[in-house]
Amino acid sequence: MFAQYWWCIAALSRRFVVAVGAVLSLIFAQALYAAEEYTHSVTLSSSWGSVMSAQALVDEALRANPGITALEAAIQGAEARIVQSTALPDPQLFTAVAPDTIGGYNSPNGRGSNVRMELTQTLPWPGKLRLRGDAATKTAEAERGNLALRRLELRTVALSYYAQWNYIHQAITINERNSTLVDELRRVAEARYAAGITNQPDVLLAEVELQHIRHRSVQLRRQMATLRAQINTLLNRSTTADIALSNALPPPTAIPDFDTLRLIALSQHPGLAAAKQQIAASRDREKLADKDFYPDFKLFTGYNSLWDETAKRWVVGIGINLPLGRDKYRAARDESRANTVGRQSELDELRSQVLGDLEEARVLVNEALHTIALYEHDLLPRTAENLSATRAAYGAGGGRFSELISAEQVHLDAELSLERARADYLIAKAALENALGGPLALPKTSQHHANMATSQNSATAKIKPNTTSEHAQ
């Protein structure tokens, strides 16, 4: 009676497993069909044109971006204002005639028409034109700094897209390789189940894992399609245009300490340089407002034929304006001073933001370096070794299939994590160079120390897990 009871339970369990397997197969078959349809709509690389490297992508983004053209036009406009600011006001010509003397009528001694002409030229107070020119020149320099800052930001975005594109491409390749592996394991499980060596759940577990991998492929290709649209937008092209990017990422290298990076950023960041030029221009306008309290000069010369004596007809002279409205000049000076204070506060805020971004990016770069060293030298080799050992044990009749699938999942995660860390390194380094104000070019001595630091990080990453294992034993 007891044996029959357990036999009934076993039979019901097998039928339940078979039913669940059938339902899952139907669901995953539909999902796979949709995945294949979606996959075929996404192109991994271009079928035409040359393959672009990271630098080529940056150059193309800088060339095609409309914002660059707008800033270049702003620079041209600022440079044109320099000439305008240093030019003297136009001279003025006045002429008049006595109407009753036109044609010589009523003109004394028959002198003909009596006319008067006068030519005047305004001369600003000494130093005004120079200050106007200096302010305009520094404003143009600030516009050049804004252009350099915009180019730097575009470079950062382009490199970030390049890194993400490479990660997705590598992830798809890794995913496909693991799909082949799991499909092979599934066939092994089916053969062992047919021979009565193992149970049906092993086959179902392999099928479930295979469908998970295929679903991940759909997600990755959806991400690639989205990224393709973003890259084409950056390049000012159709969002569905094909893209061909190389699969090479620069090798990771260590970076200097924060104090060294801080000095570089403060000395070369184009945003800080532009803000400083704006402050200098504002101070020139302050000095110019002070000179508005002084009068401008007006030179004039004229001829008046109304005078009877010839010696009195030609005259020359000088005049000045009278700056009596002192309140308006004080208000203009106060406005210039307030603008200078505001510009200085903006510079202080920008400097703090740059240094904060620099430290954040530096930490992310070092974290990515540590992660790359950890996975390259320790985790990835160990997960591969674990997968190989688990496969060998299962093939020899020992171990459970669930352990084999688990080992495959851990190895897959390690491979994807390494590629993610490599992409994160390039993204973080691009952000670091954005905060730095330009590409990080280390002297040979600094590069040597950086490489030494990388080796030390790799050795540390390799030693720490071993130490943990010893304590665990």
Side-chain angles (χ1 to χ4, degrees):
M1 182 68 182
F2 185 75
Q4 291 179 351
Y5 174 75
W6 281 110
W7 182 86
C8 292
I9 294 178
L12 291 174
S13 300
R14 283 195 298 270
R15 292 180 181 179
F16 178 75
V17 170
V18 172
V20 171
V23 172
L24 289 176
S25 298
L26 178 61
I27 294 174
F28 284 130
Q30 294 176 349
L32 178 59
Y33 175 78
E36 291 176 348
E37 289 296 317
Y38 183 82
T39 298
H40 292 159
S41 68
V42 179
T43 303
L44 288 181
S45 61
S46 174
S47 58
W48 54 269
S50 59
V51 177
M52 286 192 292
S53 63
Q55 187 57 48
L57 179 62
V58 171
D59 294 340
E60 180 64 17
L62 295 178
R63 185 198 64 79
N65 188 266
I68 297 294
T69 305
L71 289 174
E72 289 174 345
I75 293 175
Q76 294 176 356
E79 290 175 341
R81 285 192 291 273
I82 298 175
V83 178
Q84 303 174 52
S85 300
T86 56
L88 288 171
D90 291 336
Q92 293 180 324
L93 177 64
F94 301 93
T95 182
V97 62
D100 290 341
T101 65
I102 294 177
Y105 297 103
N106 300 324
S107 176
N109 302 323
R111 290 198 304 267
S113 302
N114 295 130
V115 297
R116 187 184 71 180
M117 292 182 294
E118 185 174 300
L119 180 66
T120 64
Q121 174 65 61
T122 300
L123 298 177
W125 185 267
K128 282 188 176 182
L129 291 181
R130 177 183 59 80
L131 288 172
R132 291 173 185 169
D134 290 346
T137 301
K138 292 166 185 175
T139 301
E141 290 296 327
E143 292 293 344
R144 292 189 186 94
N146 292 333
L147 173 60
L149 184 61
R150 178 57 179 165
R151 292 174 65 88
L152 195 61
E153 292 172 349
L154 286 175
R155 177 182 182 273
T156 304
V157 174
L159 290 177
S160 176
Y161 285 165
Y162 181 84
Q164 294 178 54
W165 180 274
N166 274 271
Y167 164 71
I168 296 175
H169 188 278
Q170 295 296 334
I172 290 175
T173 302
I174 293 171
N175 206 58
E176 290 175 350
R177 186 167 64 246
N178 276 267
S179 178
T180 303
L181 170 62
V182 175
D183 189 52
E184 177 185 345
L185 297 178
R186 179 180 60 83
R187 290 195 298 269
V188 171
E190 288 177 345
R192 291 169 67 90
Y193 173 65
I197 301 175
T198 186
N199 296 323
Q200 190 179 23
D202 288 355
V203 180
L204 296 177
L205 182 60
E207 184 66 28
V208 170
E209 176 62 17
L210 186 61
Q211 300 303 334
H212 278 305
I213 292 177
R214 290 173 178 172
H215 179 62
R216 185 184 292 111
S217 178
V218 173
Q219 292 177 319
L220 290 171
R221 291 177 184 273
R222 186 265 305 163
Q223 294 174 15
M224 179 163 283
T226 302
L227 186 58
R228 179 182 62 183
Q230 293 173 333
I231 295 175
N232 281 322
T233 301
L234 180 68
L235 301 181
N236 199 24
R237 304 193 310 182
S238 170
T239 55
T240 58
D242 290 340
I243 296 174
L245 299 181
S246 66
N247 297 327
L249 292 179
T253 55
I255 57 174
D257 56 26
F258 178 75
D259 290 337
T260 302
L261 295 174
R262 177 180 178 276
L263 293 176
I264 297 175
L266 293 180
S267 63
Q268 74 174 21
H269 194 279
L272 297 177
K276 291 176 182 178
Q277 291 294 339
Q278 290 286 9
I279 292 175
S282 184
R283 287 173 177 165
D284 287 337
R285 295 188 185 97
E286 278 189 57
K287 297 176 183 177
L288 187 60
D290 289 333
K291 288 187 177 295
D292 284 340
F293 286 93
Y294 300 96
D296 294 331
F297 300 96
K298 181 176 289 188
L299 301 178
F300 70 91
T301 181
Y303 177 82
N304 190 347
S305 65
L306 293 176
W307 291 97
D308 293 335
E309 297 182 18
T310 303
K312 296 180 179 179
R313 295 174 186 172
W314 186 267
V315 295
V316 295
I318 187 173
I320 60 172
N321 67 308
L322 302 177
L324 300 179
R326 313 295 280 182
D327 290 341
K328 67 178 181 181
Y329 296 118
R330 294 190 186 97
R333 182 179 60 189
D334 293 342
E335 179 186 4
S336 299
R337 290 176 178 174
N339 288 337
T340 302
V341 173
R343 295 286 187 182
Q344 183 63 54
S345 299
E346 292 174 358
L347 174 60
D348 294 339
E349 182 182 12
L350 179 59
R351 184 185 294 111
S352 298
Q353 180 180 349
V354 166
L355 295 180
D357 293 343
L358 185 64
E359 173 62 7
E360 180 180 355
R362 186 188 69 86
V363 171
L364 292 176
V365 168
N366 287 332
E367 179 184 359
L369 288 171
H370 173 77
T371 304
I372 292 172
L374 180 64
Y375 276 91
E376 283 184 343
H377 299 288
D378 189 83
L379 294 183
L380 188 58
R382 292 193 178 189
T383 59
E385 182 180 356
N386 178 57
L387 176 59
S388 178
T390 307
R391 289 185 66 182
Y394 184 75
R400 292 179 296 180
F401 190 78
S402 59
E403 295 176 346
L404 179 56
I405 292 297
S406 177
E408 176 272 332
Q409 292 173 341
V410 171
H411 182 63
L412 173 60
D413 289 341
E415 288 185 300
L416 293 176
S417 296
L418 176 58
E419 294 302 329
R420 179 72 265 177
R422 288 170 175 166
D424 288 344
Y425 165 78
L426 181 58
I427 295 173
K429 187 178 180 184
L432 175 75
E433 292 176 336
N434 183 50
L436 201 61
L440 179 60
L442 298 177
K444 291 184 178 180
T445 54
S446 298
Q447 185 62 53
H448 173 71
H449 291 305
N451 293 335
M452 290 292 294
T454 305
S455 301
Q456 292 174 0
N457 289 338
S458 300
T460 302
K462 190 173 182 179
I463 291 173
K464 285 184 176 179
N466 294 337
T467 305
T468 305
S469 299
E470 292 174 1
H471 284 296
Q473 294 174 358

